[in-house]
Amino acid sequence: MEGLLRRCRGLHTLATCSPQLRGYTPHRLHHCTPGRGRRLTLSTMFQPQNLREDQVLPLDGRSADLTCKSQRLMLQVGLIYPASPGCYHLLPYAVRALEKLVRTIDQEMQAIGGQKVSMPSLSPAELWRATNRWDSMDRELFKLRDRHDKEYCLGPTHEEVVTALVASQKTLSYKQLPFLLYQVTRKFRDEPRPRFGLLRGREFYMKDMYTFDATPEAAQETYGLVCAAYSRLFERLGLRCVQVQADVGSIGGSLSHEFQLPVDVGEDRFAVCASCGFSANVETLDVSQTSCPTCQGSLTETRGVEVGHTFYLGTKYSSVFDAKFTNTHGSVSLVEMGCYGLGVTRILAAAIESFSTEDCIRWPGLLAPYQVCLIPPKKGSIEEAAAELTEHLYDHITEAVPRLRGEVLLDDRTHLTIGKRRKDADKFGYPFVIIAGKRALEDPAHFEVWCQNTGEVVFLSREGVLELLSQVQVV
Amino acid sequence: MEGLLRRCRGLHTLATCSPQLRGYTPHRLHHCTPGRGRRLTLSTMFQPQNLREDQVLPLDGRSADLTCKSQRLMLQVGLIYPASPGCYHLLPYAVRALEKLVRTIDQEMQAIGGQKVSMPSLSPAELWRATNRWDSMDRELFKLRDRHDKEYCLGPTHEEVVTALVASQKTLSYKQLPFLLYQVTRKFRDEPRPRFGLLRGREFYMKDMYTFDATPEAAQETYGLVCAAYSRLFERLGLRCVQVQADVGSIGGSLSHEFQLPVDVGEDRFAVCASCGFSANVETLDVSQTSCPTCQGSLTETRGVEVGHTFYLGTKYSSVFDAKFTNTHGSVSLVEMGCYGLGVTRILAAAIESFSTEDCIRWPGLLAPYQVCLIPPKKGSIEEAAAELTEHLYDHITEAVPRLRGEVLLDDRTHLTIGKRRKDADKFGYPFVIIAGKRALEDPAHFEVWCQNTGEVVFLSREGVLELLSQVQVV
């Protein structure tokens, strides 16, 4: 056995991951105090506010482009930076939040059997011509030609592509159905009027899932399963989305729902009946409709951002690409399809739009780029003696709550007052801000803890801090 | 304290992640035996071989396109599927391996202080015109126009874009340097002759890092740091790459190295001197050069695949975009840059090309899509009584070694013989294949364990299996 283990190790069968490689935290080696643990420090983060240190610059010359609160806040604190109309750079804080959102989506999609794939962005024109969408979507598609003059579009969605892929699997049997394929990739849409930052861009991240079933009944069951997964996702994020009946638009099919997040800048309008729970995008209602079509109760109209969209497609695409399977009778039938989208970068911006105040970003707890910000005393202040205590607290937190490794940030800009850094932390929206102020010099030391999402401020000993933070979940 | 915790939870400050949501495994609810744990089953996986069940189809009509072993094997077992010339669908097994590779890369890049960003694929023409690469790279770029007739290319690399981004941060100080920005995204290059599957594609995943330093000396130090991180990465993957002196090509700069993996189908040739360790791409040597330029020893030439490339750029790009910082004297200087690429999908294919036999895929242990495949007895066989034991073993493994949750696959195609499924498992290259054969009926039961990377076969009790698997590292 010993020999076996040794040989396996030697051959890289047992992956070589030495212990010191675990629990990595982003840092620059020479930024670390030798002999101490590695700590994440704010001064080394690349984001505009920090690079300009103690000034939050006005976005000079850009104010005309600022179309909503989330866009303004995300630009101000350096989550995003404009690249071209409707295209943004995602900076380090935003990428951390995005990756947490993708992991949460992965969990929910895989819990219902979703299998992750990755389809190219370059999408051959002939597939889009087969469904007539090359012409019907026309200018919404970014179109290009390669060096051999072959035409492509940059995929805004992948119904054609995935159906052709499944059709290529010639000997599909009913026993292998259903399957659910999904991806999280960049999508491209040449919006005539990109606006609201990440809410309506031209290049953005989307999760798109495509499902394949043997019968309309099974496909409807799958449809319900995916909708329930979407609801669970939004619940975990704390987003109170409303599932409304929707128009099928350019995707097609016979049944469709949108998940709408109510926010003031939302470009969609949906109506809800308080009596029976009926809800619908107003596009699907007759303009003269003022009462609920099912119970005649009164309808309340709300503005929303569409963060998810589901379609029951039937055989609309499988009939074009001849995607078939062998049914229980031994003959071949067309597969029944559904498609399901989540606007990934849009969910991020919509959550910030929904949770934030005018001046301060607030995050769904699960998505906050960092969970904890520690603020040590100002250099040269009376409290400076507590500086070391803050570093010890940092180490205690990451030792006692290993899942918070990489989630705790030390605001080492100690040339600034505590008040100034506390204000920055408020703007960034770290869920927990922990300050070593006057009471840190007491015995035992007490830290000032701001629970930013509840607005509460409490003084806690080291043990109290650890108890509180041991409750924090990360994804 | 209790109240505080409750309020935080209620407000989604403490992320809501209920315990049953942990340790998710991809499955379809109705594929699970009720009352049992959730198990990953091979019959529900979407990949061509499995969909065709007991036949590995010849790739009819495609044999002319098969240009190397890794491409053939990856197509045969359903890791990839062709979408258009040089563009492949990555199917579920390949996505799992890719995500493991990306996590490993993230760890190594963040260990040296790398901060992850995400820059758009749509890259404005004016940036490329500024460096003259719009014309000099010309047909290698995929070029397109938007609805307003503005020109873009699809980024094959991001020197222009990232330099413009950093230049936009007006008040950069020397105190904030160095910083290292990187991303893992799809890149696009209109190759005249895409071939070798993922080894030379037109749309592919790349990790690109850009570093910013105050002085040439600091930039050289950073250059060494990134090269060392690349070496650690390849070492963890078990890939014996050679770092060779290289030509700067279209990227430019004054110093460049390639990381070459020796494989027969490699399109690069490099020379190594056994005496002094000198190594160089032959492009950088005089054609008449037959002996080592440093020690006059003899040079051995090898074919390799370039899996990484590093460039010291100096101020080549920062001078064009005026990317400056305030130096220690209070005046402004141009930042010193480096850029560093890893071919992510290429590393995956190159590792398979390097490790596999003619018929069977072998993986770097860390990247295997699933670490363990369990094969229960054939239905109706004498050993069928041991079927339940296999399921119990599955549950024991995932309980005793929690990091293997999601890494153990049950080959539930019990209408096939053990031999047939064992052969399939060999082809797929799961590092550990565990079979419940005749000796599973002994008391205590013994399982046949194939350690595929060492070629060893041993019989182990349940405890022995758990001890062996407890050594397996996953990323």
Side-chain angles (χ1 to χ4, degrees):
Chain A
M1 187 76 181
E2 272 310 308
L4 176 67
L5 293 178
R6 200 176 52 245
R7 281 186 299 278
C8 282
R9 259 185 237 116
L11 277 163
H12 295 276
T13 304
L14 302 182
T16 53
C17 177
S18 52
Q20 70 271 26
L21 294 173
R22 303 249 204 91
Y24 263 129
T25 51
H27 72 285
R28 173 81 175 195
L29 295 177
H30 56 262
H31 286 306
C32 297
T33 320
R36 294 195 166 281
R38 294 169 174 192
R39 303 188 193 102
L40 286 168
T41 51
L42 191 62
S43 67
T44 57
M45 293 286 152
F46 177 76
Q47 40 90 356
Q49 179 183 356
N50 171 53
L51 289 177
R52 285 146 179 170
E53 291 240 302
D54 54 356
Q55 41 181 331
V56 180
L57 283 192
L59 293 151
D60 46 69
R62 287 190 205 285
S63 52
D65 300 335
L66 291 181
T67 45
C68 69
K69 181 176 69 179
S70 58
Q71 183 192 19
R72 176 173 49 81
L73 288 170
M74 292 175 85
L75 283 165
Q76 279 182 345
V77 306
L79 292 172
I80 58 176
Y81 196 81
S84 64
C87 300
Y88 285 87
H89 299 293
L90 303 182
L91 301 182
Y93 274 52
V95 169
R96 284 186 61 88
L98 182 78
E99 293 196 335
K100 289 178 180 195
L101 178 54
V102 171
R103 285 197 289 271
T104 314
I105 291 172
D106 279 340
Q107 290 176 348
E108 295 300 337
M109 293 304 104
Q110 291 175 18
I112 57 169
Q115 299 184 53
K116 203 169 185 178
V117 296
S118 177
M119 297 180 272
S121 294
L122 286 170
S123 205
E126 64 262 28
L127 298 179
W128 293 79
R129 290 214 166 92
T131 57
N132 199 37
R133 291 211 289 181
W134 186 261
D135 294 325
S136 69
M137 292 185 70
D138 195 28
R139 296 189 70 190
E140 268 183 68
L141 300 176
F142 280 105
K143 296 177 178 177
L144 69 156
R145 288 169 188 269
D146 71 7
R147 62 164 73 219
H148 306 295
D149 226 28
K150 191 168 144 57
E151 289 179 293
Y152 294 86
C153 70
L154 299 178
T157 179
H158 284 69
E159 286 79 17
E160 283 82 355
V161 173
V162 77
T163 312
L165 169 65
V166 170
S168 72
Q169 315 304 316
K170 303 286 182 213
T171 58
L172 205 54
S173 150
Y174 72 94
K175 293 181 209 161
Q176 290 146 354
L177 301 178
F179 53 85
L180 298 76
L181 303 180
Y182 80 101
Q183 61 177 354
V184 179
T185 58
R186 293 189 190 177
K187 302 296 189 295
F188 301 84
R189 188 181 289 268
D190 198 354
E191 286 282 350
R193 287 175 303 280
R195 58 192 177 284
F196 302 131
L198 300 189
L199 287 177
R200 183 170 292 281
R202 299 202 299 168
E203 178 171 347
F204 49 89
Y205 280 91
M206 225 178 91
K207 188 282 310 179
D208 43 332
M209 178 180 259
Y210 306 90
T211 64
F212 301 86
D213 273 279
T215 65
E217 295 70 35
Q220 302 266 4
E221 196 194 321
T222 298
Y223 187 91
L225 202 63
V226 181
C227 287
Y230 278 16
S231 296
R232 272 196 303 278
L233 170 74
F234 293 126
E235 199 186 326
R236 285 179 71 189
L237 300 177
L239 297 173
R240 295 175 200 280
C241 293
V242 183
Q243 184 179 350
V244 309
Q245 117 190 348
D247 191 71
V248 297
S250 68
I251 304 271
S254 57
L255 174 69
S256 179
H257 287 93
E258 289 164 355
F259 288 78
Q260 292 280 355
L261 182 68
V263 295
D264 293 343
V265 298
E267 296 187 273
D268 288 310
R269 290 180 300 132
F270 64 92
V272 176
C273 170
S275 314
C276 72
F278 169 88
S279 57
N281 189 310
V282 294
E283 288 172 3
T284 67
L285 301 176
D286 203 307
V287 278
S288 60
Q289 188 92 40
T290 53
S291 59
C292 174
T294 54
C295 79
Q296 311 308 318
S298 66
L299 290 173
T300 310
E301 212 179 285
T302 309
R303 289 196 160 274
V305 168
E306 177 200 326
V307 285
H309 206 150
T310 59
F311 300 85
Y312 169 53
L313 299 171
T315 58
K316 178 180 157 129
Y317 292 88
S318 55
S319 61
V320 173
F321 295 100
D322 209 28
K324 289 180 172 165
F325 70 100
T326 308
N327 62 29
T328 48
H329 308 298
S331 55
V332 291
S333 306
L334 293 170
V335 289
E336 291 279 328
M337 289 176 58
C339 77
Y340 309 85
L342 287 175
V344 179
T345 30
R346 185 183 278 185
I347 289 172
L348 206 61
I352 289 174
E353 186 73 35
S354 164
F355 285 1
S356 304
T357 67
E358 277 305 310
D359 298 316
C360 297
I361 290 186
R362 290 297 176 266
W363 302 87
L366 214 50
L367 304 189
Y370 296 95
Q371 292 292 335
V372 184
C373 179
L374 294 188
I375 303 182
K378 184 172 191 279
K379 198 175 281 181
S381 68
I382 304 169
E383 296 83 13
E384 192 178 358
E388 209 179 354
L389 277 180
T390 325
E391 293 180 3
H392 288 167
L393 183 65
Y394 188 111
D395 299 342
H396 280 125
I397 293 169
T398 53
E399 273 158 35
V401 194
R403 67 176 175 278
L404 289 182
R405 279 179 201 158
E407 294 289 335
V408 186
L409 202 55
L410 188 69
D411 190 345
D412 58 339
R413 301 173 304 161
T414 51
H415 60 288
L416 302 178
T417 63
I418 282 182
K420 169 63 194 135
R421 284 176 288 157
R422 153 80 191 114
K423 211 176 145 196
D424 281 355
D426 194 18
K427 197 167 190 71
F428 275 95
Y430 310 98
F432 299 93
V433 180
I434 302 176
I435 301 168
K438 284 198 194 85
R439 295 192 54 191
L441 298 175
E442 289 176 7
D443 187 20
H446 275 74
F447 298 93
E448 190 179 334
V449 180
W450 292 67
C451 303
Q452 300 220 100
N453 286 14
T454 65
E456 285 177 276
V457 187
V458 288
F459 285 87
L460 297 175
S461 65
R462 192 181 79 188
E463 287 65 36
V465 169
L466 295 180
E467 190 184 341
L468 178 66
L469 296 183
S470 69
Q471 305 290 319
V472 179
Q473 294 293 340
V474 294
V475 72
Chain B
M1 188 75 182
E2 272 309 309
L4 175 67
L5 292 178
R6 201 175 53 244
R7 282 187 298 278
C8 283
R9 257 186 237 116
L11 276 164
H12 294 277
T13 304
L14 303 181
T16 53
C17 176
S18 51
Q20 70 270 26
L21 294 174
R22 304 248 205 92
Y24 264 129
T25 50
H27 73 284
R28 173 78 176 197
L29 296 176
H30 57 262
H31 286 306
C32 297
T33 320
R36 292 197 168 281
R38 294 168 174 192
R39 303 189 193 101
L40 286 167
T41 50
L42 190 63
S43 67
T44 57
M45 293 287 151
F46 177 76
Q47 39 90 356
Q49 179 186 357
N50 172 52
L51 288 177
R52 285 145 179 171
E53 291 236 303
D54 54 356
Q55 42 181 330
V56 181
L57 283 192
L59 293 153
D60 45 69
R62 286 190 205 286
S63 51
D65 301 336
L66 291 181
T67 45
C68 68
K69 180 176 71 178
S70 57
Q71 182 191 20
R72 175 171 51 80
L73 288 171
M74 291 176 85
L75 283 165
Q76 279 182 344
V77 306
L79 291 173
I80 57 176
Y81 197 82
S84 65
C87 301
Y88 284 87
H89 300 293
L90 303 182
L91 300 182
Y93 273 53
V95 170
R96 283 184 62 88
L98 182 78
E99 293 194 336
K100 289 178 180 195
L101 178 55
V102 172
R103 283 196 291 271
T104 314
I105 291 172
D106 280 339
Q107 290 175 349
E108 295 300 337
M109 294 303 105
Q110 292 174 18
I112 56 167
Q115 300 186 51
K116 202 170 185 178
V117 297
S118 176
M119 296 181 272
S121 294
L122 286 170
S123 204
E126 63 263 28
L127 298 179
W128 292 79
R129 290 214 166 92
T131 57
N132 199 37
R133 291 211 290 181
W134 185 261
D135 293 325
S136 68
M137 292 186 68
D138 195 28
R139 295 188 73 189
E140 266 183 68
L141 300 175
F142 280 106
K143 296 177 178 176
L144 68 157
R145 290 169 187 268
D146 71 7
R147 62 165 72 219
H148 306 295
D149 225 28
K150 191 169 143 56
E151 289 178 293
Y152 294 87
C153 71
L154 299 179
T157 178
H158 283 68
E159 286 79 17
E160 283 82 355
V161 173
V162 78
T163 313
L165 168 66
V166 169
S168 71
Q169 316 304 317
K170 304 284 182 214
T171 59
L172 206 54
S173 151
Y174 72 94
K175 293 181 208 162
Q176 290 145 354
L177 300 177
F179 53 85
L180 299 77
L181 304 179
Y182 80 101
Q183 60 177 354
V184 180
T185 57
R186 293 190 190 177
K187 303 296 188 295
F188 302 84
R189 189 181 288 267
D190 199 353
E191 287 282 349
R193 287 175 303 278
R195 58 192 178 283
F196 301 130
L198 300 189
L199 287 178
R200 185 171 290 280
R202 299 202 299 167
E203 179 172 347
F204 50 91
Y205 280 90
M206 225 179 91
K207 188 283 309 177
D208 43 333
M209 179 180 259
Y210 306 91
T211 64
F212 302 86
D213 273 280
T215 65
E217 296 69 35
Q220 302 265 5
E221 197 194 320
T222 298
Y223 187 91
L225 202 63
V226 180
C227 286
Y230 279 15
S231 296
R232 271 195 304 278
L233 171 74
F234 294 126
E235 198 187 325
R236 285 178 72 189
L237 300 177
L239 297 174
R240 295 176 200 279
C241 293
V242 183
Q243 184 178 349
V244 309
Q245 112 188 354
D247 190 71
V248 297
S250 67
I251 303 273
S254 57
L255 175 68
S256 178
H257 288 92
E258 289 165 353
F259 287 78
Q260 292 279 355
L261 182 68
V263 296
D264 294 341
V265 298
E267 296 186 273
D268 289 309
R269 289 180 301 133
F270 64 93
V272 176
C273 169
S275 314
C276 72
F278 169 88
S279 57
N281 190 310
V282 294
E283 289 171 4
T284 67
L285 301 176
D286 202 308
V287 278
S288 60
Q289 187 91 42
T290 52
S291 59
C292 175
T294 55
C295 78
Q296 310 309 317
S298 67
L299 291 172
T300 312
E301 211 178 286
T302 311
R303 292 197 157 272
V305 168
E306 176 202 326
V307 286
H309 205 150
T310 59
F311 300 85
Y312 169 53
L313 299 172
T315 58
K316 177 179 158 134
Y317 291 88
S318 56
S319 61
V320 173
F321 295 101
D322 209 28
K324 290 180 172 164
F325 70 101
T326 308
N327 62 29
T328 48
H329 309 297
S331 55
V332 291
S333 307
L334 293 171
V335 289
E336 290 280 329
M337 289 176 56
C339 76
Y340 310 85
L342 287 175
V344 179
T345 29
R346 185 183 278 184
I347 289 173
L348 205 61
I352 290 174
E353 187 73 34
S354 164
F355 286 1
S356 303
T357 68
E358 277 305 309
D359 298 317
C360 297
I361 290 185
R362 289 297 177 267
W363 302 87
L366 215 50
L367 304 188
Y370 296 95
Q371 293 291 335
V372 184
C373 179
L374 295 187
I375 303 182
K378 184 172 193 280
K379 197 175 280 181
S381 68
I382 303 168
E383 297 82 13
E384 192 178 359
E388 209 177 354
L389 276 180
T390 325
E391 294 180 3
H392 288 167
L393 183 65
Y394 188 111
D395 299 341
H396 279 125
I397 294 169
T398 53
E399 275 158 34
V401 194
R403 68 175 175 280
L404 289 182
R405 280 179 200 156
E407 294 289 336
V408 186
L409 201 55
L410 187 69
D411 189 346
D412 58 339
R413 302 173 303 161
T414 50
H415 59 287
L416 301 178
T417 62
I418 282 181
K420 166 69 192 130
R421 285 176 287 157
R422 153 80 191 116
K423 211 176 146 198
D424 282 355
D426 194 18
K427 196 166 192 72
F428 275 94
Y430 310 98
F432 299 93
V433 179
I434 303 175
I435 301 167
K438 282 196 196 87
R439 294 193 53 192
L441 297 175
E442 290 177 6
D443 187 18
H446 276 72
F447 299 93
E448 190 178 334
V449 179
W450 292 66
C451 303
Q452 301 220 101
N453 287 12
T454 65
E456 284 178 277
V457 187
V458 289
F459 284 87
L460 297 175
S461 65
R462 192 180 79 188
E463 287 65 35
V465 169
L466 295 180
E467 190 185 341
L468 177 67
L469 296 184
S470 69
Q471 306 289 320
V472 179
Q473 294 293 342
V474 293
V475 71

